[in-house]
Amino acid sequence: MTFLSSIATHVRNRPDVAAISDGSTTLSWAELDAEVNRTAAALAASDIGEGDRIALGIRNSMDFVTILLAGARVGAIVMPLNWRLAARELEQILKASEPAAIFASPALESWVDDALVAGTDAIRLTIGSETHRAWLDAAKDHRAPVGDTAADSDPCMLMYTSGSTGQPKGVVMPHATFSKLLPQIIEEQHLTPASSALLVLPFFHIGGLGWVITALMAGAYSVLSEADPRAIMEVVEREQMTHLCVVPTLLGAMLDEQRVRPRRVNSVEMIQCGGSPIPEPHLREAAEAFESSFVTLYGLSEAGGLVAHQELTPQQIFEGLDESRLLAAGRPVAGLEVEIRDPVTGETMPAGEVGEITVRTPARMSGYWQQPDQTRNVMDENGWLRTGDLGFIDDTGLLTVKGRLKDLIISGGENIYPAEIENVLVDHPAVAAAAVVGAPHPKWVEAPVAILVAHEGHSIDVDDVRDWVRGRLATYKCPQEFVVFDTMPQLGGGKTNRPALRGLVATTFSEPTRPAPVTAGPALSRREVS
């Protein structure tokens, strides 16, 4: 059975109940099913089926959801495209994956056209175009496949990573990723057919894709919103949303919006937040603003999207829960094993010691698309997956993530974890977002450099921030330099674009001629650095 079986249950039992809305159009479960059937029939009539790749150059929309479900119905492998990539990057992905069909929204039509490989025979359709409508109409008498008989090992999604570790790799996700993992998430996060779920994270990211499938499987009323803090808060208030899934940077922007334009948002019962640790001040402020529980989590595409999580109630957050607990990712999900290993020797580390997070889960990827060597580099014959992330497990079994192995700063022989410094920086009243990366240093080899973004309506006094950090961290952890940007460069899913920051910092603070400390940086937009 596949995730389609759960959705089919809601179609049968609640056909006239609202299933999904984009703010202007709302589809009932029966109407959503009809749209999925229509697209699945057209795919089948075009001989697109088992194992074929369907590329989606579409922003979050009901069209995306419809094609996603239709692709699963015919046994195809659905491949969301990261619309933040340059055309050249997209061209490499399309060349490697050889999709049988490519769908693009009108706004992304030229982006896809610029990336198309010469001689491709893929069906190319722009959503809503005359050609697209004719393609659907031509298959109106064709029988749509049911599509719920696939095996757990059959591939259903191809997710290209955001590139935080280098060139994107295609993560092949089998049906087990969703059938083994999502039912327990639905239960543990109290999602029911009476719930309403906000869909805001990009669907090309496992956080966004997994959340929309989770909401549909639970039978929740799903509402799409653009990733704009004002729009999000308006939707939460208007629709009285109960469940949100965001990343820490977006949560911080939502809190800024709530300070300026307070709204009635106490309908929210639970906020799921992952991608990086939630800064403690944001966690406390958000618990007060929403009066909701929080689910902190850690995961990655290769492991099926979720490795560990924990629920924190407002009472726990307000009543002095130990800081180490607030900053922890949580406990491994049921059926998943986690070990902390020495990244060089592979030996298991004792409780409390930092090493590479290694996991074994039935929801893991099948491998990287057509990259067997890369697959072997991260996954052994026993199914253990190297995540490339650093962390430790305490003696109670709680997992805390310290950052990426590549992001570790070694200064004078001391290990420095950027997340620890970033949590102190964002606790400063003027700092909305912070990132710490290593820069060349003539004496210590590397030294931490802090990139800061101010809260709306605030300015950052670098000397004040420097004193703030020195009073809270060991000297060797204090950033040597501070850079102030208007916006924080980001990758897909709201992750900080650390490769871009490392490149900028390495150039600015290169040896042997180090410039004077930088206290103000360029106004980088997301597009300029992604």
Side-chain angles (χ1 to χ4, degrees):
M1 292 180 64
T2 70
F3 59 84
L4 293 174
S5 299
S6 297
I7 298 172
T9 299
H10 302 300
V11 173
R12 287 193 304 269
N13 297 341
R14 306 160 63 228
D16 299 325
V17 175
I20 188 169
S21 173
D22 62 5
S24 59
T25 302
T26 300
L27 297 181
S28 68
W29 287 101
E31 290 168 336
L32 174 62
D33 187 59
E35 289 298 315
V36 173
N37 282 339
R38 188 181 179 209
T39 300
L43 289 169
S46 300
D47 293 325
I48 296 173
E50 186 174 351
D52 291 326
R53 275 75 62 205
I54 300 174
L56 305 186
I58 309 173
R59 293 180 185 268
N60 289 17
S61 63
M62 287 196 286
D63 288 313
F64 188 110
V65 174
T66 297
I67 302 171
L68 168 73
L69 299 180
R73 285 256 181 106
V74 302
I77 302 173
V78 178
M79 185 174 71
L81 300 175
N82 181 347
W83 35 262
R84 291 173 178 154
L85 296 177
R88 182 176 177 277
E89 295 172 297
L90 177 60
E91 180 182 353
Q92 294 174 336
I93 290 172
L94 294 178
K95 184 176 181 179
S97 59
E98 298 181 306
I102 305 172
F103 293 85
S105 55
L108 296 174
E109 181 179 12
S110 60
W111 174 70
V112 171
D113 286 344
D114 289 344
L116 284 176
V117 180
T120 181
D121 57 359
I123 295 172
R124 165 75 172 79
L125 295 166
T126 300
I127 299 297
S129 67
E130 185 175 333
T131 303
H132 179 222
R133 290 192 296 270
W135 177 76
L136 291 170
D137 290 342
K140 62 183 179 181
D141 296 325
H142 199 87
R143 183 179 178 83
V146 176
D148 62 355
T149 59
D152 280 344
S153 59
D154 289 343
C156 64
M157 303 288 170
L158 179 56
M159 304 287 293
Y160 274 84
T161 59
S162 61
S164 61
T165 59
Q167 186 172 348
K169 297 182 287 290
V171 177
V172 181
M173 292 183 153
H175 277 282
T177 295
F178 306 101
S179 62
K180 299 290 188 183
L181 185 63
L182 298 191
Q184 65 172 301
I185 294 176
I186 291 169
E187 180 179 356
E188 292 177 7
Q189 298 192 9
H190 318 298
L191 269 168
T192 73
S195 303
S196 54
L198 184 72
L199 309 180
V200 63
L201 296 183
F203 293 164
F204 62 71
H205 187 272
I206 185 57
L209 184 74
W211 183 237
V212 65
I213 295 175
T214 301
L216 290 168
M217 287 179 66
Y221 172 51
S222 300
V223 181
L224 293 144
S225 171
E226 58 182 302
D228 172 80
R230 182 179 297 187
I232 291 171
M233 300 304 280
E234 288 175 352
V235 170
V236 170
E237 182 179 46
R238 183 181 69 246
E239 300 282 358
Q240 289 294 280
M241 306 301 298
T242 64
H243 287 70
L244 313 182
C245 182
V246 296
V247 292
T249 51
L250 184 55
L251 178 63
M254 291 161 58
L255 293 174
D256 282 344
E257 173 66 21
Q258 183 69 358
R259 289 189 213 103
V260 177
R261 285 169 284 271
R263 293 182 174 84
R264 185 168 58 90
V265 294
N266 58 2
S267 63
V268 177
E269 300 171 7
M270 183 166 287
I271 299 178
Q272 181 183 145
C273 196
S276 61
I278 309 173
E280 184 183 352
H282 285 180
L283 185 60
R284 296 189 187 280
E285 184 180 355
E288 182 175 0
F290 292 96
E291 303 176 19
S292 68
S293 293
F294 272 79
V295 173
T296 62
L297 55 86
Y298 158 71
L300 64 158
S301 299
E302 288 88 338
L306 184 63
V307 170
H309 60 165
Q310 66 171 338
E311 179 181 349
L312 299 173
T313 66
Q315 183 178 8
Q316 289 175 311
I317 295 170
F318 292 136
E319 293 187 358
L321 192 66
D322 185 79
E323 181 180 0
S324 63
R325 175 73 184 277
L326 294 177
L327 295 177
R331 303 184 189 283
V333 299
L336 181 146
E337 301 169 80
V338 177
E339 289 186 357
I340 304 299
R341 298 181 179 179
D342 185 300
V344 177
T345 67
E347 295 180 357
T348 302
M349 308 288 285
E353 291 196 20
V354 175
E356 184 176 11
I357 301 170
T358 311
V359 304
R360 183 160 62 181
T361 169
R364 70 179 181 273
M365 68 173 181
S366 304
Y368 291 121
W369 180 259
Q370 296 184 339
Q371 292 182 293
D373 291 340
Q374 292 280 6
T375 301
R376 283 190 291 269
N377 285 341
V378 300
M379 196 162 63
D380 68 19
E381 64 277 5
N382 296 315
W384 284 98
L385 175 73
R386 297 185 60 175
T387 67
D389 291 320
L390 292 169
F392 67 89
I393 297 176
D394 66 18
D395 54 11
T396 71
L398 200 64
L399 173 67
T400 297
V401 181
K402 301 295 287 185
R404 292 289 298 172
L405 183 58
K406 289 188 66 173
D407 295 336
L408 177 67
I409 301 168
I410 303 177
S411 183
E414 296 281 359
N415 288 349
I416 298 175
Y417 303 101
E420 182 180 7
I421 307 172
E422 291 161 5
N423 284 329
V424 171
L425 288 168
V426 296
D427 207 10
H428 188 281
V431 178
V436 174
V437 297
H441 193 279
K443 183 176 181 179
W444 308 119
V445 182
E446 271 192 308
V449 171
I451 296 89
L452 309 175
V453 175
H455 280 295
E456 184 178 354
H458 289 72
S459 60
I460 291 177
D461 183 326
V462 169
D463 290 334
D464 184 55
V465 175
R466 183 180 286 111
D467 291 341
W468 175 276
V469 177
R470 285 174 177 168
R472 291 164 173 80
L473 290 175
T475 301
Y476 73 90
K477 298 179 183 178
C478 296
Q480 297 286 307
E481 319 283 2
F482 293 81
V483 185
V484 180
F485 284 172
D486 288 345
T487 60
M488 189 69 73
Q490 294 182 349
L491 291 165
K495 292 182 181 179
T496 298
N497 191 338
R498 293 183 186 273
L501 291 178
R502 280 195 293 266
L504 289 168
V505 166
T507 301
T508 305
F509 300 103
S510 60
E511 297 299 337
T513 56
R514 288 173 59 82
V518 172
T519 58
L524 293 180
S525 70
R526 187 175 296 177
R527 181 173 295 277
E528 288 172 322
V529 297
S530 58

